Structure formats: C-alpha cells, structure tokens
Amino acid sequence: MTAPSTYGLSTQARNLQWLLTDLVEEVPGVNSVAVVSSDGLLLLSSDPAAGTGEPATTPRAKGPRGASADLATIVCGLGSLTTGAAALMETGSVKQTMVAMEHGSVFVMAISDGSLLGVHATPDCDMSVVAYHMALFVGRAGHVLTPEVRSELRQSMENTP
C-alpha cells in the first residue's frame, strides 16, 4: 500500500494516517480500511487514490470496487442500521458489527466521537486478530479525533490530487 501524502497535516492527523497504514500492512487478511465521520464523510482511507475518483494504482484483493468511497458507504450504512436496531431493542450502544460473507468480511467498530472504523477483510482472516487490532486503533484514535482533526482530515480527502 502506498500511503497518501501527509505533507501539511498536523501531527495528530499524520499519526492517525500512520495507525491506519499500520493496520492494513500488519494485520493478515485486511484488504482495506476506512474511517467515516458521524455524518458519513470519509476521513481516512487505506486507498491511496482516496478522494481522487481514480482507481488505486497498487494491486488489491477483491473488494468493494477497490474504492474507499464504497467501503465508507457500506460502513456508514451498517453503522446506521445497527444503531437503529440497538435502539429498537433497547440494548445500548453498538460497539462492533461483523458481517461474514462467502468471499470476505466487513467489520465496523464505533470510535468514541461517533465516527466509525470499517475494515474489509478476506474470508480466511482471523476475525479475533482483526477485531483486536481494530480495538487498538479505536483506543489510540478516539481521543485524537477532535473536531479540528476531523475537519483537517476531511479537507485533505477533498484536496487529494
């Protein structure tokens, strides 16, 4: 994976991008990762072409068309659906959602500010390892994802050449 440029980003934003890159490169079976704001906007992506409308230049496994926008849409939809279900069942907030499919899995985990972390993984991934590393990311990112950093990340996604 080629990380998007971090030039001009704050230390906090660069650290979040580094954590996301580390998640993709170090956890076996992870194809792509997206962080989506509480209002559904893509903040961070493992897709080096995120925000460009162009396909990634690095080879990727099968996934939601290889586009970070597709994964972000799926993550946002699953987050909304499960939050609604939890409210109807009066079971409290949703901490994690996992969808296992024939040819892959999608994991969604809440971040403290209402943002969501989404992971698309291979069908043979070790789900407990993926969930563990997602929890580490959420624990490290939750306190850093301030309104200022979210705004900065949105701007950088919009301005990616």
Side-chain angles (χ1 to χ4, degrees):
M1 184 193 100
T2 305
S5 172
T6 58
Y7 178 76
L9 293 179
S10 67
T11 301
Q12 295 89 351
R14 285 193 313 269
N15 286 342
L16 287 171
Q17 185 62 52
W18 178 84
L19 285 171
L20 183 126
T21 300
D22 191 53
L23 179 62
V24 174
E25 292 180 351
E26 299 299 322
V27 181
V30 171
N31 290 330
S32 58
V33 180
V35 175
V36 182
S37 68
S38 58
D39 53 359
L41 297 173
L42 183 63
L43 298 177
L44 284 169
S45 172
S46 63
D47 183 353
T52 66
E54 297 296 323
T57 56
T58 57
R60 296 190 35 164
K62 286 186 194 174
R65 298 201 180 258
S68 55
D70 290 343
L71 180 58
T73 301
I74 292 164
V75 167
C76 190
L78 284 172
S80 179
L81 179 64
T82 56
T83 298
L88 284 172
M89 293 186 275
E90 299 177 354
T91 55
S93 62
V94 177
K95 296 179 192 256
Q96 182 178 10
T97 303
M98 196 275 300
V99 180
M101 298 164 280
E102 185 177 356
H103 298 292
S105 298
V106 175
F107 301 80
V108 179
M109 190 173 284
I111 300 176
S112 62
D113 71 334
S115 298
L116 299 169
L117 170 65
V119 172
H120 172 245
T122 61
D124 60 345
C125 72
D126 185 332
M127 293 180 191
S128 62
V129 170
V130 173
Y132 172 75
H133 284 277
M134 288 177 71
L136 287 177
F137 180 95
V138 166
R140 292 172 180 154
H143 69 283
V144 176
L145 210 47
T146 63
E148 295 80 19
V149 172
R150 285 194 308 270
S151 177
E152 179 183 2
L153 291 170
R154 268 192 220 131
Q155 281 272 310
S156 75
M157 291 300 286
E158 292 172 3
N159 296 333
T160 302

